[in-house]
Amino acid sequence: MAKRRRKRLTAKQRNRRRALFSILFIAIITIGVHLVKNNLVTIKDIRIQGNKKVSREEILKRGRVDLGGKLYKQDAQAIEAKIEAIPYIKDAKVKRSIRGILSIRVQERSPVAQLNFRDHYVNVDQDLRILEKTMQFQPDYIKINGLTIKNLQMGSYLFLNDKQKDLRKMVTGVLEGDLRDKIQAIDIKDQGLDLLTKDDIQVVFDSTKDSDYKCKQLLVVLEKIKTMDKNISMILMDKGKDPVAVTESNKAQAREDANNMTPLEGGRGEKEEKDSRE
């Protein structure tokens, strides 16, 4: 009996030792791989994709990466954040390979609007990010007028003040949506804003609230005007239940008195149609 018990204990001890050796072996391998990756794998190649406007040199400079550096000591998220600080970069993704390859893929921003600043122009994208200063006028970009800017910082955004959130939403709604191809200028007012279409129709918004609905409504109105046998030069978006179309002969008195103008009943958007059904 005693011999059998000793044999059982010996077997248990052997199993425990095997388990302990296995754990130690895995730990040693894991630590070894970690040390090798951190200290032996250097950056042998840096591959950049997606950049057209921004140079390779600018991306490497901002990301602070160089050939020969320790690959796995590079903080991928920190590199991405540094590269995305470049005004023209919208998104950056960094990947590392055990072969020593650091891959950087970027998505660039595209300018769609332009504003005046002192003696030059400033290009901005649809998110209202300030991309660059330039002396070159771009006739195809939407012009943003009526802004007073004291300090201009590349990579910052327009209309970040909490009081301007409705204005920001309205302007980005124009720059991002289907209206962009129909508008040539945005004029910022103390209250509301005006748009100038490519057909030289002035569109007046007394308020920038409910911008999503108003942008959709304006698209419907512009299509309706194409079917009208009138020389429409102005649209008053907030002068009643429906937008009001104004001819060139009535334009002078339109802002003060819209009673004698042409209401565009067909210009009601989804919101008002739903309300009327309810």
Side-chain angles (χ1 to χ4, degrees), residues 15-273:
N15 291 336
R16 287 175 183 172
R17 288 175 182 175
R18 288 171 184 167
L20 180 60
F21 285 140
S22 297
I23 293 171
L24 287 173
F25 178 77
I26 293 171
I28 291 169
I29 294 296
T30 301
I31 293 171
V33 170
H34 179 73
L35 291 173
V36 168
K37 285 172 64 177
N38 278 313
N39 296 291
L40 297 182
V41 181
T42 59
I43 301 175
K44 299 179 179 65
D45 188 16
I46 301 174
R47 300 176 182 178
I48 300 176
Q49 295 178 300
N51 61 312
K52 293 181 179 179
K53 178 72 176 178
V54 183
S55 69
R56 172 186 175 88
E57 291 72 23
E58 177 70 4
I59 292 172
L60 294 178
K61 180 181 176 181
R62 291 292 192 97
R64 297 182 182 178
V65 291
D66 297 295
L67 292 173
K70 303 299 183 184
L71 181 67
Y72 285 93
K73 286 189 176 181
Q74 305 292 325
D75 187 330
Q77 290 185 340
I79 296 172
E80 291 168 356
K82 291 171 186 174
I83 295 173
E84 288 171 1
I86 300 172
Y88 262 95
I89 300 298
K90 184 179 182 70
D91 184 65
K93 296 296 180 187
V94 174
K95 292 184 178 180
R96 299 168 296 187
S97 167
I98 192 72
R99 296 178 297 165
I101 300 172
L102 183 72
S103 300
I104 302 172
R105 179 181 290 275
V106 299
Q107 179 185 356
E108 293 185 335
R109 296 174 180 272
S110 299
V112 297
Q114 192 171 68
L115 55 97
N116 291 324
F117 181 72
R118 296 175 184 170
D119 59 346
H120 51 261
Y121 301 100
V122 175
N123 294 339
V124 301
D125 75 339
Q126 64 182 25
D127 297 322
L128 295 175
R129 190 178 198 184
I130 300 172
L131 303 181
E132 65 178 340
K133 291 188 293 185
T134 178
M135 298 300 295
Q136 186 174 2
F137 174 75
Q138 295 290 348
D140 295 332
Y141 293 176
I142 294 176
K143 302 303 169 292
I144 301 178
N145 306 313
L147 287 180
T148 302
I149 302 176
K150 295 181 180 180
N151 298 311
L152 194 68
Q153 183 177 355
M154 296 301 104
S156 62
Y157 294 82
L158 300 176
F159 311 130
L160 287 182
N161 191 305
D162 287 341
K163 295 180 180 179
Q164 297 176 313
K165 62 182 181 180
D166 289 330
L167 175 60
R168 176 181 176 79
K169 191 173 181 180
M170 172 71 84
V171 175
T172 54
V174 173
L175 298 181
E176 293 176 350
D178 296 332
L179 277 173
R180 187 169 78 189
D181 294 334
K182 303 178 185 297
I183 302 300
Q184 61 173 304
I186 301 172
D187 294 316
I188 308 300
K189 305 294 183 182
D190 291 336
Q191 296 292 329
L193 59 79
D194 290 0
L195 303 179
L196 183 64
T197 73
K198 291 183 177 179
D199 294 325
D200 291 324
I201 299 174
Q202 184 180 2
V203 183
V204 180
F205 292 92
D206 292 335
S207 168
T208 54
K209 293 185 180 299
D210 298 324
S211 58
D212 290 341
Y213 163 65
K214 288 181 178 179
C215 287
K216 292 177 183 178
Q217 187 184 37
L218 179 56
L219 285 169
V220 176
V221 167
L222 292 175
E223 289 301 313
K224 182 173 179 60
I225 284 176
K226 292 179 182 179
T227 67
M228 297 173 63
D229 188 20
K230 291 185 178 182
N231 182 23
I232 302 299
S233 63
M234 179 183 284
I235 302 168
L236 304 177
M237 296 296 294
D238 296 313
K239 287 296 183 182
K241 183 179 69 173
D242 297 300
V244 176
V246 182
T247 61
E248 183 63 33
S249 59
N250 293 326
K251 190 174 180 179
Q253 68 185 72
R255 285 181 182 265
E256 288 74 27
D257 182 13
N259 292 329
N260 296 323
M261 310 307 159
T262 306
L264 297 167
E265 296 181 2
R268 294 187 303 171
E270 297 175 1
K271 181 180 176 182
E272 286 191 10
E273 289 177 356

